[in-house]
Amino acid sequence: MMNMKIRQLSLSALRNALLSLYALFALFPIFWMILITFKSDAEMYTTTFQFHPTLYNYKEVLLRTDYFKAFLDNIIVSSGAVLVSILVGVPAAYALARYKFKGKEDLAFTILSFRFAPEILVILPLFMIYQALGIYDTYFGLIWVYQLITMPLLIWVVRGYFEDINVEIEQAAQLDGYPWYTVFLKILLPLIKPGLVAAGLLAFIFAWNSFTFPLLLSGFRIETVTVASLKYIASDTVHYGQMAVAATVAALPEVILALLIQRHLVRGLSFGAVKG
Amino acid sequence: MARIELTHISKRFRKVIALRDINFQVEDMEFFVLFGPAGAGKTTILKIIAGIEFPDEGLIKINDEVVNLVEPAQRNVSMVFENYALYPHFTVYDNIASPMRSPRHKTDEATIRKEVRRVAEMLKIEHLLDRMPAQISNGQKQRVAIGRCLVRNPSVFLMDEPLAHLDAKLRHFMRAEMKGLQADFNTTTIYVTHDYMEALSLGDRIAVINKGEIEQIGSANEVYYTPANQFVARLFGEPEINIFGVDLIEKENRLKLKIPGYEHLFDLEPDVERMLLKYNVRELNLGIRGTCISYAFAKEDDDFIPGTVYSLEPIGNMSILIVDINGEYIRIVAPNDLDVELDSDIFVKFDLKKALFFDRASETFIARHNRVHYVSEAA
């Protein structure tokens, strides 16, 4: 009896120790990033924790450059891209889950394959097409190209959720007297919500962090934070402090968003946990 | 209140034929049972009437109006799904209330509350109304599904094995309840089951379905006493009907029945003899139920055929005695207190007044004694 208890206690102590170690390992870079936002360029390379905290970097980035414009642009293109992906992707996922049609699996695979090629591989033809179409450096152009990042993820996750819902639930709702759009909104949407939220958040993060596309398909009128962060690499020196500020502020929306929808996220990531 | 008519309905799922030329008509307020083994196509017929599956060929009529292209929501049918199809994110109360909240059947909340209470009490689920479907047992889910179906007054109830997952006691209770309900509601009901007792006790008429085709449509008496073929005869009754080959012998201008391996010739009832003469086949199958066979331990007369006791299985309120007669195993219903030794000699007598005669080649029904008695005038 006593032995059992001791064993259990020591096991949970070991588990907690290992988890703490991992948390330290995972959080340290972020901690270090936040730390150097308060350091001046002169103290940047010291690894001791003794330095003279300064807000100079924040002032420089947030007030003296057009970082806010980039931040706003990033929000517009990323949330625009996710919104378009949801509007187009959810019906597409439904069709792929429910209907039998020729070449269905090929189509689903093709959509997935958009994620296979590295972005840099397709950027040259895309650049030329964008120039020719006149959508280079526009919100529309970026939102469009972001579909390569956000849409496949959303379609594949949400499709799995639709497949888990028994089709007879839809049929029952139809027989109860609901038109198809009410069946979709009242019955199906709540059931796929965890998947939709999880996939939507991941899609937003991928879009938000995207670098190659906004670097090469925009940059003058529209600029995202990932590209804007490059500016702190000057010809003479790299302003690591300012770069850290840019990165810290850039990470904020993702953190806030994740915290807001955490409740749905935990359920959403455990696929198939909610069966129809 | 509706008449349902299906004409030449055929349906295939890819290469598998699900239904082949289904024709039947359900009268207003009739309790119509679709009965058959698993995979026969019963559920598909129900879904075609509901409008959630589409036939490849054929017409569906509700009140003489072709509804092939009418949306399920507009057909005013109510259905119980075999695997319940409850809305997992709604409480039991909201599940049952759902039909009355749809734009098609909009009702005020006070009436909804009253109606939900009413069916919940009837189905004995009033203590579950606040639970989610995931928190109740399968039998309870099935009752919720029935409740959702009964809560409104549709033109036809479609029920897909609504009692299949209930425990035996509740099933008997619900069977009686169903029959009463139907009388109260004055509504046409189409009821799918694979339980022959449910079919016989509930159905005004029963359609026996096998491999996507209708084998027979008739009243409980008709399908039980005058089955269209051996398949139908085998489906009804426990123990399964005994069917074995017999021959017809002509002797002194009369037809006599000969059971293989036994010398004695049996007399036939005059009406049966007439039918057999008309049909003019000599190779028959005789079908005789376990309740229509008597047995004795001494040979009383020539009608008693000798055999040996093969086994005796008690099945609750009766036992099934299996007698080996020249390699043919005959199932006989016997009382529980019967005391026999295995392999001992026994004599059995078939009550030929209650026997069924089938054509051996086509396995179709030919005759039985006093057939008119069992067949309703309509047929």
Side-chain angles (χ1 to χ4, degrees):
Chain A
M1 215 34 202
M2 208 52 201
N3 266 345
M4 276 273 283
K5 213 161 190 179
I6 290 172
R7 241 185 72 176
Q8 259 178 11
L9 269 176
S10 55
L11 256 177
S12 80
L14 183 71
R15 196 167 54 228
N16 282 332
L18 284 174
L19 284 174
S20 309
L21 203 68
Y22 176 73
L24 212 65
F25 173 75
L27 290 178
F28 189 75
I30 296 170
F31 167 73
W32 194 252
M33 179 175 80
I34 293 170
L35 204 69
I36 57 177
T37 60
F38 297 106
K39 286 183 176 179
S40 63
D41 279 354
E43 287 174 319
M44 193 54 62
Y45 298 101
T46 59
T47 47
T48 58
F49 288 95
Q50 286 176 330
F51 61 94
H52 304 90
T54 167
L55 286 176
Y56 169 79
N57 291 327
Y58 283 88
K59 225 183 299 172
E60 202 61 21
V61 171
L62 300 181
L63 301 180
R64 302 247 173 85
T65 64
D66 50 1
Y67 182 78
F68 264 121
K69 165 81 166 63
F71 194 80
L72 206 66
D73 281 350
N74 213 10
I75 286 181
I76 291 171
V77 290
S78 297
S79 38
V82 172
L83 208 68
V84 169
S85 277
I86 287 175
L87 288 179
V88 178
V90 171
Y94 180 82
L96 286 171
R98 278 286 185 264
Y99 299 127
K100 291 190 181 74
F101 52 88
K102 221 176 147 197
K104 177 171 102 165
E105 287 309 316
D106 297 333
L107 184 66
F109 186 79
T110 307
I111 291 170
L112 186 68
S113 72
F114 292 155
R115 299 283 282 148
F116 290 173
E119 289 158 12
I120 201 78
L121 211 68
V122 291
I123 202 70
L124 190 62
L126 270 179
F127 178 79
M128 293 166 77
I129 292 167
Y130 267 51
Q131 290 282 10
L133 288 179
I135 52 175
Y136 173 81
D137 207 12
T138 60
Y139 289 125
F140 176 81
L142 271 192
I143 288 174
W144 193 2
V145 79
Y146 275 15
Q147 295 312 311
L148 289 178
I149 304 169
T150 54
M151 185 99 83
L153 178 81
L154 200 109
I155 286 180
W156 272 77
V157 171
V158 173
R159 180 193 184 190
Y161 273 81
F162 276 127
E163 280 171 348
D164 275 351
I165 302 172
N166 192 335
V167 68
E168 288 190 344
I169 289 177
E170 283 174 58
Q171 298 173 339
Q174 284 181 28
L175 290 176
D176 279 350
Y178 293 99
W180 65 267
Y181 49 87
T182 319
V183 175
F184 195 83
L185 293 176
K186 270 191 71 172
I187 308 295
L188 291 179
L189 217 51
L191 292 175
I192 61 156
K193 198 176 76 182
L196 188 61
V197 167
L201 178 71
L202 281 178
F204 181 83
I205 291 173
F206 288 152
W208 183 267
N209 292 343
S210 175
F211 177 69
T212 319
F213 287 144
L215 177 72
L216 293 165
L217 297 180
S218 64
F220 299 102
R221 273 168 298 164
I222 297 164
E223 195 180 41
T224 65
V225 281
T226 44
V227 178
S229 305
L230 275 188
K231 282 194 212 147
Y232 307 106
I233 304 173
S235 52
D236 53 338
T237 176
V238 181
H239 298 291
Y240 281 115
Q242 293 168 23
M243 220 171 169
V245 170
T248 307
V249 176
L252 279 179
E254 294 164 338
V255 174
I256 292 168
L257 207 62
L259 288 177
L260 280 179
I261 57 180
Q262 199 178 28
R263 200 165 55 86
H264 308 287
L265 192 65
V266 175
R267 272 179 71 203
L269 285 178
S270 54
F271 286 12
V274 273
K275 293 238 170 178
Chain B
M1 281 157 283
R3 277 157 34 83
I4 313 286
E5 190 181 346
L6 268 64
T7 44
H8 303 296
I9 295 287
S10 292
K11 166 92 181 163
R12 49 173 71 224
F13 293 110
R14 298 196 176 218
K15 291 211 171 99
V16 185
I17 293 172
L19 298 174
R20 196 202 305 262
D21 197 24
I22 297 286
N23 293 286
F24 63 78
Q25 197 171 334
V26 182
E27 298 302 326
D28 189 18
M29 290 165 60
E30 191 178 12
F31 201 112
F32 190 81
V33 171
L34 295 171
F35 173 75
K42 307 181 295 274
T43 301
T44 310
I45 295 179
L46 223 52
K47 287 192 171 176
I48 282 176
I49 296 171
I52 45 189
E53 293 276 6
F54 300 97
D56 298 334
E57 286 166 41
L59 295 179
I60 312 130
K61 290 182 193 164
I62 299 181
N63 286 331
D64 298 321
E65 193 187 321
V66 176
V67 294
N68 281 45
L69 297 176
V70 177
E71 287 277 322
Q74 307 303 323
R75 291 192 192 189
N76 196 21
V77 300
S78 178
M79 181 162 173
V80 180
F81 290 84
E82 195 197 349
N83 51 15
Y84 331 121
L86 299 180
Y87 311 126
H89 55 304
F90 286 0
T91 61
V92 167
Y93 180 94
D94 290 334
N95 262 286
I96 298 177
S98 155
M100 295 186 294
R101 285 177 178 159
S102 71
R104 180 79 169 68
H105 312 287
K106 197 91 187 130
T107 319
D108 63 284
E109 285 295 322
T111 319
I112 291 177
R113 226 172 359 255
K114 210 182 81 210
E115 287 297 299
V116 172
R117 286 264 155 230
R118 184 179 61 80
V119 298
E121 264 165 41
M122 190 179 71
L123 296 162
K124 302 193 183 346
I125 48 173
E126 63 268 38
H127 58 294
L128 302 173
L129 289 176
D130 295 330
R131 300 229 197 134
M132 302 303 280
Q135 297 166 325
I136 60 179
S137 76
N138 280 353
Q140 290 166 337
K141 279 182 200 166
Q142 193 146 40
R143 279 180 281 160
V144 175
I146 297 171
R148 185 174 62 185
C149 172
L150 295 181
V151 82
R152 65 195 181 91
N153 208 346
S155 53
V156 55
F157 286 127
L158 304 172
M159 303 200 171
D160 192 359
E161 310 240 6
L163 308 184
H165 299 273
L166 303 184
D167 60 70
K169 207 175 146 194
L170 197 57
R171 186 156 62 226
H172 280 98
F173 169 78
M174 284 299 301
R175 201 156 73 196
E177 200 76 348
M178 284 283 171
K179 193 74 189 164
L181 274 175
Q182 204 257 337
D184 293 348
F185 275 112
N186 285 339
T187 304
T188 315
T189 305
I190 302 179
Y191 188 104
V192 163
T193 183
H194 68 261
D195 177 339
Y196 78 92
M197 286 200 281
E198 254 171 53
L200 293 175
S201 74
L202 288 174
D204 292 330
R205 279 192 306 150
I206 299 163
V208 182
I209 319 255
N210 183 33
K211 293 180 187 155
E213 285 179 89
I214 292 183
E215 299 278 351
Q216 185 176 8
I217 297 179
S219 67
N221 274 348
E222 282 165 6
V223 294
Y224 188 78
Y225 292 109
T226 61
N229 52 42
Q230 290 181 194
F231 174 81
V232 176
R234 283 206 170 96
L235 280 183
F236 293 95
E238 171 74 32
E240 191 182 299
I241 190 169
N242 299 293
I243 294 178
F244 49 89
V246 293
D247 298 310
L248 285 180
I249 306 264
E250 212 169 324
K251 192 181 170 191
E252 295 154 12
N253 258 342
R254 297 293 304 271
L255 274 183
K256 303 273 182 184
L257 188 75
K258 184 177 180 317
I259 289 169
Y262 188 62
E263 279 309 308
H264 179 68
L265 297 179
F266 294 84
D267 293 332
L268 291 166
E269 296 297 324
D271 58 339
V272 172
E273 193 179 343
R274 258 196 319 278
M275 281 303 289
L276 292 177
L277 272 172
K278 211 164 89 187
Y279 201 83
N280 197 22
V281 189
R282 288 298 147 94
E283 294 185 327
L284 295 180
N285 276 347
L286 186 73
I288 188 148
R289 299 204 185 266
T291 46
C292 310
I293 305 172
S294 48
Y295 54 87
F297 297 100
K299 195 171 174 84
E300 290 172 10
D301 59 45
D302 277 345
D303 283 351
F304 279 85
I305 309 161
T308 53
V309 175
Y310 180 75
S311 76
L312 180 70
E313 323 164 16
I315 54 160
N317 56 352
M318 57 177 181
S319 296
I320 295 172
L321 175 69
I322 301 181
V323 174
D324 179 353
I325 298 175
N326 296 322
E328 194 73 55
Y329 295 109
I330 306 295
R331 294 170 290 273
I332 305 169
V333 173
N336 269 345
D337 53 8
L338 183 71
D339 188 22
V340 289
E341 275 195 30
L342 298 189
D343 295 327
S344 62
D345 289 337
I346 194 167
F347 299 90
V348 301
K349 179 186 175 180
F350 301 125
D351 184 353
L352 289 183
K353 282 187 177 145
K354 291 176 180 162
L356 305 170
F357 296 86
F358 299 101
D359 181 343
R360 195 183 299 170
S362 65
E363 304 198 340
T364 51
F365 178 80
I366 303 173
R368 74 165 290 149
H369 173 53
N370 207 3
R371 177 173 174 273
V372 232
H373 179 72
Y374 303 104
V375 180
S376 61
E377 289 144 39

